[in-house]
Short mmCIF file of all heavy atoms in Angstrom, two decimals:
data_model
loop_
_atom_site.label_atom_id
_atom_site.label_comp_id
_atom_site.label_asym_id
_atom_site.label_seq_id
_atom_site.Cartn_x
_atom_site.Cartn_y
_atom_site.Cartn_z
N TYR A 13 80.69 96.16 132.89
CA TYR A 13 81.47 95.21 133.73
C TYR A 13 82.11 94.30 132.69
O TYR A 13 81.84 94.05 131.60
CB TYR A 13 80.49 94.41 134.73
CG TYR A 13 79.72 93.41 134.14
CD1 TYR A 13 80.22 92.13 133.89
CD2 TYR A 13 78.37 93.61 133.92
CE1 TYR A 13 79.38 91.09 133.33
CE2 TYR A 13 77.48 92.57 133.41
CZ TYR A 13 78.04 91.40 133.16
OH TYR A 13 77.26 90.41 132.67
N GLY A 14 83.27 93.75 133.30
CA GLY A 14 84.05 92.76 132.52
C GLY A 14 84.77 93.39 131.40
O GLY A 14 85.17 92.81 130.46
N VAL A 15 85.06 94.76 131.56
CA VAL A 15 85.68 95.46 130.37
C VAL A 15 87.02 95.93 131.00
O VAL A 15 87.19 96.44 132.03
CB VAL A 15 84.90 96.66 130.02
CG1 VAL A 15 85.44 97.52 128.94
CG2 VAL A 15 83.50 96.27 129.62
N ASN A 44 75.26 85.18 131.84
CA ASN A 44 75.36 84.67 130.50
C ASN A 44 76.52 85.42 129.66
O ASN A 44 76.80 84.98 128.64
CB ASN A 44 74.00 84.72 129.75
CG ASN A 44 73.00 83.90 130.48
OD1 ASN A 44 73.27 82.78 130.76
ND2 ASN A 44 71.84 84.45 130.47
N PHE A 45 77.01 86.47 130.20
CA PHE A 45 77.98 87.31 129.50
C PHE A 45 79.14 87.63 130.33
O PHE A 45 79.10 87.97 131.53
CB PHE A 45 77.31 88.62 129.02
CG PHE A 45 76.21 88.39 128.02
CD1 PHE A 45 74.91 88.27 128.46
CD2 PHE A 45 76.51 88.30 126.73
CE1 PHE A 45 73.89 88.03 127.49
CE2 PHE A 45 75.53 88.00 125.76
CZ PHE A 45 74.22 87.92 126.14
N VAL A 46 80.33 87.59 129.72
CA VAL A 46 81.63 87.90 130.31
C VAL A 46 81.66 89.42 130.45
O VAL A 46 82.12 89.88 131.52
CB VAL A 46 82.78 87.48 129.49
CG1 VAL A 46 84.06 87.84 129.96
CG2 VAL A 46 82.73 85.88 129.25
N SER A 47 81.27 90.26 129.50
CA SER A 47 81.31 91.64 129.47
C SER A 47 80.05 92.26 129.00
O SER A 47 79.40 91.73 128.14
CB SER A 47 82.46 92.03 128.56
OG SER A 47 83.75 91.55 128.86
N VAL A 48 79.70 93.43 129.62
CA VAL A 48 78.49 94.12 129.21
C VAL A 48 78.81 95.59 129.19
O VAL A 48 79.59 96.12 130.05
CB VAL A 48 77.33 93.94 130.15
CG1 VAL A 48 76.16 94.87 129.89
CG2 VAL A 48 76.85 92.51 130.06
N ILE A 49 78.40 96.32 128.18
CA ILE A 49 78.54 97.79 128.03
C ILE A 49 77.10 98.25 127.81
O ILE A 49 76.43 97.80 126.79
CB ILE A 49 79.49 98.14 126.90
CG1 ILE A 49 80.90 97.75 127.22
CG2 ILE A 49 79.46 99.73 126.73
CD1 ILE A 49 81.80 98.10 126.11
N ILE A 76 85.96 99.60 118.17
CA ILE A 76 86.39 99.16 119.53
C ILE A 76 85.46 97.95 119.96
O ILE A 76 85.90 97.04 120.48
CB ILE A 76 86.22 100.35 120.55
CG1 ILE A 76 87.31 101.37 120.23
CG2 ILE A 76 86.43 99.80 121.98
CD1 ILE A 76 88.73 100.87 120.24
N PHE A 77 84.07 98.21 119.76
CA PHE A 77 83.22 97.09 120.11
C PHE A 77 83.50 95.75 119.29
O PHE A 77 83.60 94.67 119.85
CB PHE A 77 81.77 97.41 119.76
CG PHE A 77 81.22 98.51 120.72
CD1 PHE A 77 80.18 99.30 120.33
CD2 PHE A 77 81.81 98.72 121.95
CE1 PHE A 77 79.61 100.21 121.16
CE2 PHE A 77 81.33 99.78 122.82
CZ PHE A 77 80.19 100.51 122.38
N LYS A 78 83.82 95.94 118.04
CA LYS A 78 84.21 94.69 117.29
C LYS A 78 85.49 94.00 117.74
O LYS A 78 85.62 92.76 117.83
CB LYS A 78 84.40 95.10 115.74
CG LYS A 78 83.11 95.39 115.02
CD LYS A 78 83.54 95.82 113.61
CE LYS A 78 82.41 96.48 112.96
NZ LYS A 78 82.83 96.99 111.60
N GLU A 79 86.49 94.88 118.19
CA GLU A 79 87.73 94.42 118.69
C GLU A 79 87.55 93.73 120.02
O GLU A 79 88.08 92.68 120.36
CB GLU A 79 88.76 95.55 118.77
CG GLU A 79 90.09 95.12 119.21
CD GLU A 79 90.79 94.23 118.27
OE1 GLU A 79 90.36 94.10 117.15
OE2 GLU A 79 91.85 93.58 118.76
N MET A 80 86.56 94.19 120.83
CA MET A 80 86.24 93.64 122.12
C MET A 80 85.71 92.21 121.85
O MET A 80 86.02 91.25 122.59
CB MET A 80 85.33 94.51 122.94
CG MET A 80 85.95 95.83 123.46
SD MET A 80 84.69 96.87 124.12
CE MET A 80 84.28 95.96 125.64
N LYS A 81 84.77 92.10 120.89
CA LYS A 81 84.14 90.84 120.59
C LYS A 81 85.26 89.88 120.08
O LYS A 81 85.28 88.74 120.57
CB LYS A 81 83.08 91.05 119.56
CG LYS A 81 82.43 89.78 119.14
CD LYS A 81 81.64 89.09 120.22
CE LYS A 81 80.86 87.86 119.62
NZ LYS A 81 80.16 87.13 120.78
N ARG A 82 86.13 90.38 119.21
CA ARG A 82 87.16 89.49 118.72
C ARG A 82 88.06 88.95 119.75
O ARG A 82 88.41 87.71 119.83
CB ARG A 82 88.04 90.19 117.75
CG ARG A 82 89.15 89.45 117.02
CD ARG A 82 90.16 90.15 116.21
NE ARG A 82 91.03 90.95 117.13
CZ ARG A 82 92.04 90.52 117.83
NH1 ARG A 82 92.25 89.24 117.80
NH2 ARG A 82 92.74 91.41 118.59
N ARG A 84 87.30 88.43 122.86
CA ARG A 84 86.63 87.57 123.84
C ARG A 84 86.22 86.22 123.28
O ARG A 84 85.77 85.35 123.86
CB ARG A 84 85.45 88.31 124.36
CG ARG A 84 85.84 89.34 125.47
CD ARG A 84 84.80 90.38 125.66
NE ARG A 84 85.18 91.24 126.75
CZ ARG A 84 85.96 92.21 126.60
NH1 ARG A 84 86.50 92.49 125.30
NH2 ARG A 84 86.31 93.09 127.45
N GLY A 85 86.27 86.19 121.91
CA GLY A 85 85.97 84.89 121.22
C GLY A 85 84.45 84.76 121.00
O GLY A 85 83.60 85.62 120.99
N ARG A 86 84.12 83.51 120.89
CA ARG A 86 82.70 83.11 120.51
C ARG A 86 81.87 83.03 121.89
O ARG A 86 82.25 83.36 122.90
CB ARG A 86 82.58 81.66 119.83
CG ARG A 86 83.34 81.69 118.63
CD ARG A 86 83.32 80.35 118.01
NE ARG A 86 83.18 80.57 116.54
CZ ARG A 86 82.46 79.76 115.76
NH1 ARG A 86 81.74 78.89 116.22
NH2 ARG A 86 82.53 80.10 114.47
N LYS A 87 80.59 82.61 121.58
CA LYS A 87 79.71 82.41 122.56
C LYS A 87 79.18 83.81 123.11
O LYS A 87 79.45 84.82 122.51
CB LYS A 87 80.05 81.53 123.87
CG LYS A 87 80.41 80.15 123.34
CD LYS A 87 79.22 79.39 122.89
CE LYS A 87 79.72 78.00 122.37
NZ LYS A 87 78.66 77.38 121.70
N ASN A 88 78.43 83.80 124.22
CA ASN A 88 77.78 85.04 124.66
C ASN A 88 78.95 85.76 125.56
O ASN A 88 78.84 85.85 126.80
CB ASN A 88 76.63 84.80 125.55
CG ASN A 88 75.47 84.38 124.68
OD1 ASN A 88 75.41 84.70 123.53
ND2 ASN A 88 74.47 83.85 125.36
N SER A 89 79.90 86.28 124.86
CA SER A 89 81.01 86.94 125.60
C SER A 89 80.76 88.46 125.76
O SER A 89 81.28 88.96 126.75
CB SER A 89 82.32 86.69 124.79
OG SER A 89 82.14 87.26 123.60
N LEU A 90 79.95 89.10 124.85
CA LEU A 90 79.88 90.47 124.96
C LEU A 90 78.45 90.94 124.67
O LEU A 90 77.88 90.44 123.64
CB LEU A 90 80.90 91.20 124.01
CG LEU A 90 80.76 92.71 123.87
CD1 LEU A 90 81.06 93.39 125.14
CD2 LEU A 90 81.73 93.24 122.82
N LYS A 91 77.88 91.68 125.47
CA LYS A 91 76.55 92.26 125.18
C LYS A 91 76.57 93.81 125.31
O LYS A 91 77.28 94.44 126.17
CB LYS A 91 75.58 91.86 126.29
CG LYS A 91 74.13 92.25 126.20
CD LYS A 91 73.32 91.67 127.36
CE LYS A 91 72.01 92.22 127.45
NZ LYS A 91 71.26 91.64 128.50
N ILE A 92 76.02 94.45 124.29
CA ILE A 92 76.05 95.94 124.22
C ILE A 92 74.59 96.44 124.16
O ILE A 92 73.83 95.90 123.33
CB ILE A 92 76.85 96.31 122.90
CG1 ILE A 92 78.27 95.92 123.10
CG2 ILE A 92 76.74 97.79 122.73
CD1 ILE A 92 79.19 96.25 121.97
N LEU A 106 72.58 94.27 121.53
CA LEU A 106 73.39 93.33 120.65
C LEU A 106 74.06 92.34 121.49
O LEU A 106 74.85 92.67 122.40
CB LEU A 106 74.35 94.22 119.88
CG LEU A 106 75.37 93.41 118.97
CD1 LEU A 106 74.56 92.57 117.96
CD2 LEU A 106 76.15 94.42 118.15
N ASP A 107 73.69 91.05 121.35
CA ASP A 107 74.32 89.98 122.09
C ASP A 107 74.56 88.66 121.22
O ASP A 107 74.46 87.58 121.75
CB ASP A 107 73.44 89.66 123.21
CG ASP A 107 72.02 89.19 122.77
OD1 ASP A 107 71.72 89.16 121.60
OD2 ASP A 107 71.23 88.97 123.78
N SER A 108 74.97 88.99 120.01
CA SER A 108 75.16 87.75 119.05
C SER A 108 76.35 86.90 119.49
O SER A 108 77.40 87.47 119.89
CB SER A 108 75.34 88.24 117.68
OG SER A 108 75.68 87.26 116.74
N GLU A 109 76.22 85.64 119.29
CA GLU A 109 77.34 84.76 119.65
C GLU A 109 78.49 84.80 118.65
O GLU A 109 79.64 84.70 118.97
CB GLU A 109 76.78 83.28 119.83
CG GLU A 109 75.89 83.14 120.99
CD GLU A 109 75.44 81.59 121.18
OE1 GLU A 109 76.04 80.70 120.48
OE2 GLU A 109 74.61 81.42 122.04
N PHE A 114 77.83 89.65 114.79
CA PHE A 114 78.00 90.81 115.69
C PHE A 114 78.49 92.07 114.95
O PHE A 114 78.00 93.14 114.99
CB PHE A 114 79.09 90.44 116.86
CG PHE A 114 79.28 91.44 117.83
CD1 PHE A 114 78.40 91.45 119.01
CD2 PHE A 114 80.22 92.38 117.78
CE1 PHE A 114 78.65 92.35 120.03
CE2 PHE A 114 80.41 93.28 118.83
CZ PHE A 114 79.59 93.36 119.87
N LEU A 118 76.63 95.76 114.00
CA LEU A 118 77.21 97.08 114.35
C LEU A 118 77.20 97.86 113.15
O LEU A 118 76.91 99.17 113.21
CB LEU A 118 78.52 96.89 114.96
CG LEU A 118 78.69 96.55 116.42
CD1 LEU A 118 80.11 96.30 116.81
CD2 LEU A 118 78.11 97.66 117.31
#
Side-chain angles (χ1 to χ4, degrees):
Y13 74 79
V15 181
N44 298 315
F45 293 93
V46 174
S47 303
V48 171
I49 295 177
I76 294 301
F77 291 158
K78 289 178 195 176
E79 184 63 14
M80 290 172 69
K81 178 66 174 173
R82 184 192 68 77
R84 283 161 179 78
R86 295 182 149 219
K87 302 292 179 195
N88 288 342
S89 56
L90 177 61
K91 179 178 174 181
I92 295 176
L106 178 54
D107 59 3
S108 176
E109 291 184 12
F114 186 91
L118 281 171

